[in-house]
Amino acid sequence: MIVPFGHVLILAGILFLMGMFCAVTRRNLIMIVLGIEIMLNAASIVFIGAALRWHHLEGQVFVVFILAVAATEVSVGLALIVYAYLRTGSFDPGTYNLLK
Amino acid sequence: MTIYSIIFYILALLILVSTGLAITRRNLVHAVIYLVFSFFGSALLFYLFGAPLLAVLEVIIYAGAIMILFLFIIMMVKVETSEERMFPLNQWLPAAVIGLLYLAIGALLVSSAPGKDIPLEMALTHPKEFGQYLFQRHWLSIEIVSLLLLIALIGALHLGRRKREEKIEEKP
């Protein structure tokens, strides 16, 4: 045996909380996207733990889709961040107050 | 307490410490490097949970591709790191309240959930079995995800192209 399933849930919950904290409190667009990555990673840990808990492969299959969605989100998100930086010269989302 | 549970706790500590260091760094390059360590720890955790293919994919895609993309962006544009105040109070307070609520409810749910004490048994998913399962049972989802990746590629190209056109328009 490895550990009870609850410990995996606690680990992933703390990790998700850290990612949420990073996404909410940092004032830098790159750190916000990093926080979203941490949250997605916490979700994958829960899925793989659940796959082992119920001895079913669906959880592992879902992690593949999470990986694909994370790659998509990062590529489009970083392209948008670079575009916003070139237009405003800043990474702080608080300075994006122009409608032009 | 078996050797596997000791490995699990060491990995959990490593992941939590490196993620905590990553989200509090002022220097973005340091944050990304700490996060690479965190993702390596997650990959080892996946291996411990019997998913070797996903462990390899985690290292290749998360620690390899995504984090290097972040490094490229950070090095491509000049980032002002010292100006940012670490945790502004007006954002810190709601985040702390929401986080404490989330922590309390989560702890309550985990401690009262049925089956939380069921120990995880060691198991191993052979990559060949996993691939066959994935492509036999979920071939439509794989197609949809590949379409999503194509759309992301086109979207990123479009965003990169439009800004150059605008620059040319602005110059004369």
Side-chain angles (χ1 to χ4, degrees):
Chain A
M1 69 163 272
I2 306 174
V3 282
F5 184 54
H7 291 195
V8 181
L9 284 180
I10 291 170
L11 166 69
I14 296 174
L15 207 59
F16 191 92
L17 194 67
M18 279 180 171
M20 199 190 77
F21 232 84
C22 181
V24 171
T25 57
R26 294 298 296 258
R27 302 193 60 183
N28 189 324
L29 276 181
I30 292 181
M31 286 309 285
I32 291 172
V33 179
L34 272 183
I36 294 171
E37 290 303 309
I38 296 170
M39 287 195 267
L40 283 170
N41 191 43
S44 342
I45 289 177
V46 175
F47 269 114
I48 290 199
L52 190 61
R53 153 89 166 72
W54 276 281
H55 288 287
H56 208 277
L57 273 180
E58 296 288 338
Q60 295 193 12
V61 168
F62 218 90
V63 173
V64 174
F65 298 136
I66 290 181
L67 279 175
V69 170
T72 307
E73 171 245 324
V74 157
S75 59
V76 176
L78 285 179
L80 274 173
I81 288 174
V82 170
Y83 185 68
Y85 178 77
L86 290 179
R87 291 201 58 150
T88 64
S90 166
F91 278 120
D92 190 351
T95 61
Y96 300 158
N97 50 9
L98 287 176
L99 266 180
K100 202 172 113 212
Chain B
M1 204 166 191
T2 59
I3 180 82
Y4 297 116
S5 48
I6 296 170
I7 291 174
F8 173 82
Y9 291 123
I10 291 173
L11 281 178
L13 198 70
L14 192 138
I15 292 170
L16 289 180
V17 167
S18 55
T19 308
L21 282 172
I23 65 172
T24 52
R25 288 304 99 178
R26 250 173 233 281
N27 192 330
L28 290 180
V29 179
H30 292 177
V32 169
I33 299 295
Y34 276 122
L35 216 56
V36 168
F37 277 105
S38 163
F39 287 144
F40 270 119
S42 307
L44 289 175
L45 201 64
F46 290 179
Y47 194 79
L48 180 69
F49 285 167
L53 183 65
L54 288 173
V56 172
L57 281 181
E58 172 98 357
V59 171
I60 293 174
I61 296 179
Y62 259 112
I66 293 180
M67 288 300 124
I68 298 304
L69 202 62
F70 272 105
L71 273 186
F72 273 148
I73 297 297
I74 292 168
M75 290 172 179
M76 206 173 80
V77 291
K78 183 165 57 71
V79 181
E80 66 280 14
T81 49
S82 55
E83 287 177 21
E84 184 194 357
R85 219 182 118 199
M86 209 53 201
F87 292 116
L89 203 67
N90 57 350
Q91 286 171 331
W92 170 264
L93 202 65
V97 170
I98 293 170
L100 280 180
L101 265 178
Y102 171 88
L103 207 63
I105 294 174
L108 206 69
L109 275 179
V110 169
S111 64
S112 67
K116 70 177 162 72
D117 291 327
I118 294 177
L120 299 175
E121 302 293 331
M122 286 297 283
L124 179 67
T125 312
H126 201 270
K128 192 178 164 189
E129 289 168 25
F130 178 64
Q132 275 179 351
Y133 184 84
L134 183 62
F135 280 95
Q136 277 174 1
R137 303 281 292 274
H138 294 278
W139 56 271
L140 185 61
S141 314
I142 293 284
E143 293 298 324
I144 293 170
V145 158
S146 61
L147 206 63
L148 181 71
L149 286 173
L150 179 67
I151 290 169
L153 176 68
I154 295 170
L157 274 177
H158 178 70
L159 281 171
R161 198 174 58 90
R162 235 177 84 193
K163 115 205 136 197
R164 216 172 295 144
E165 273 178 6
E166 278 182 12
K167 257 189 186 170
I168 293 168
E169 279 173 14
E170 279 169 10
K171 267 181 187 169

